[in-house]
């Protein structure tokens, strides 16, 4: 079983919808939880990160981490066509391997006007 | 702005050829990574490097080698390309924290 499992999608929603993207993980050593956004034919870019448990909000985006359940989510409010992309969750620990992340497989989101 | 550049966006090679993929970063990052990305398989780590001349195997190193002679440059080498190495190759760098900065990718086709 993979260390990080991501809801596979694809996901197609109308403009203005609330989107929920989710990942589960098995490694208790993970402390950093990231969401990357990857547009077609581009490399991934960091969208948000959270350290340990809790919520973090940035504009229309909210990242949630529940370490007790080993579950993380990214919510997108008032979704826009420009949000259409593949979203990858990623996680890493602290210490010597802190620079190395484990990625989910990605969820492809399409927001239709 | 961190910039990670990759030598080619698209590459077509023949089976058995030796292939070099080059990656350069301009932010003095210690760590550099090579991934391949395939539909349904996500992002898989091939090799990474914590410092010049240092390298460690990732999850799928078979058929690949790497070279890091200078801090800013990390090369991925396919010693004898095979059709199952047709993929999108992504290079990334990081300063050791949580964030990785990715290049635009090289789409390699092996015929």
């Amino acid at each position: 079983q993979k260390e990080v499992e991501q809801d596979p999608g694809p996901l197609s929603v109308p403009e203005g919808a609330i989107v929920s993207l989710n990942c589960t993980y098995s490694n208790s050593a993970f402390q950093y939880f990231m969401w990357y956004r990857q547009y077609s034919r581009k490399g991934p870019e960091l969208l948000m990160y959270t350290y340990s448990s809790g919520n973090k909000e940035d504009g229309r985006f909210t990242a949630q981490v529940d370490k007790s359940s080993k579950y993380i989510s990214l919510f997108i409010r008032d979704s826009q066509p420009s949000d259409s992309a593949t979203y990858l969750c990623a996680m890493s620990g602290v210490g010597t391997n802190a620079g190395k992340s484990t990625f989910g497989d990605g969820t492809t989101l399409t927001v239709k006007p | 702005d961190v910039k990670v550049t990759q030598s080619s966006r698209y590459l077509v090679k023949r089976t058995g050829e030796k292939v070099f993929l080059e990656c350069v970063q301009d932010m003095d990052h210690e760590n550099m990574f090579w991934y391949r990305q395939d539909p349904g398989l996500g992002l898989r780590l091939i090799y990474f490097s914590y410092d010049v001349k240092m390298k460690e195997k990732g999850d799928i190193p078979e058929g690949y080698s790497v070279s890091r002679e200078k801090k800013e440059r990390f090369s991925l080498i396919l010693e004898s390309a095979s059709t199952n190495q047709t993929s999108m190759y992504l290079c990334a760098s990081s300063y050791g924290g949580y964030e990785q900065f990715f290049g635009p990718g090289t789409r390699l086709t092996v015929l």
Side-chain angles (χ1 to χ4, degrees), chain A residues 32 34 36 38 41-44 46 49 96-101 103 105, chain B residues 9-10 33 35 37 40-43 45 50 96-100 102-103:
Chain A
Y32 289 97
M34 289 75 73
Y36 286 80
Q38 184 177 20
R41 291 185 292 279
K42 297 266 176 102
L46 183 70
Y49 86 96
T96 55
N97 280 338
K100 182 182 165 193
S101 295
F103 287 82
D105 290 350
Chain B
R9 292 301 305 272
Y10 300 94
F33 308 83
Y35 298 88
Q37 187 175 35
L41 296 175
L43 216 55
L45 182 64
Y50 285 127
Y98 55 86
E99 183 173 7
Q100 293 189 14
F102 285 85

Side-chain angles (χ1 to χ4, degrees), chain A residues 94-112:
Chain A
V94 294
T96 55
N97 280 338
K100 182 182 165 193
S101 295
T102 302
F103 287 82
D105 290 350
T107 303
T108 298
L109 170 67
T110 302
V111 181
K112 296 187 175 179

Side-chain angles (χ1 to χ4, degrees), chain A residues 43-62:
Chain A
E45 285 185 303
L46 183 70
L47 185 61
M48 295 183 71
Y49 86 96
T50 309
Y51 176 71
S52 195
S53 274
N55 292 0
K56 190 170 187 178
E57 191 172 316
D58 184 3
R60 297 184 293 109
F61 298 88
T62 300

Side-chain angles (χ1 to χ4, degrees), chain B residues 43-92:
Chain B
L43 216 55
R44 293 181 290 168
L45 182 64
I46 304 170
Y47 268 96
F48 60 106
S49 169
Y50 285 127
D51 202 349
V52 175
K53 296 194 188 294
M54 294 183 69
K55 59 189 178 187
E56 286 197 33
K57 293 179 180 179
D59 301 317
I60 51 162
E62 296 78 19
Y64 303 94
S65 62
V66 290
S67 171
R68 192 160 180 207
E69 296 296 320
K70 292 186 177 181
K71 193 174 187 180
E72 67 270 18
R73 189 179 296 269
F74 193 34
S75 302
L76 180 70
I77 303 150
L78 286 67
E79 295 290 341
S80 178
S82 63
T83 54
N84 63 12
Q85 291 178 311
T86 291
S87 185
M88 169 69 85
Y89 289 88
L90 288 161
C91 174

Side-chain angles (χ1 to χ4, degrees), chain A residues 55-102:
Chain A
N55 292 0
K56 190 170 187 178
E57 191 172 316
D58 184 3
R60 297 184 293 109
F61 298 88
T62 300
Q64 278 187 358
V65 174
D66 181 349
K67 291 189 75 178
S68 62
S69 302
K70 295 190 175 68
Y71 190 89
I72 73 169
S73 298
L74 178 71
F75 297 97
I76 307 174
R77 289 185 301 280
D78 187 26
S79 55
Q80 302 294 310
S82 58
D83 296 328
S84 298
T86 297
Y87 291 81
L88 299 140
C89 63
M91 307 177 190
S92 69
V94 294
T96 55
N97 280 338
K100 182 182 165 193
S101 295
T102 302

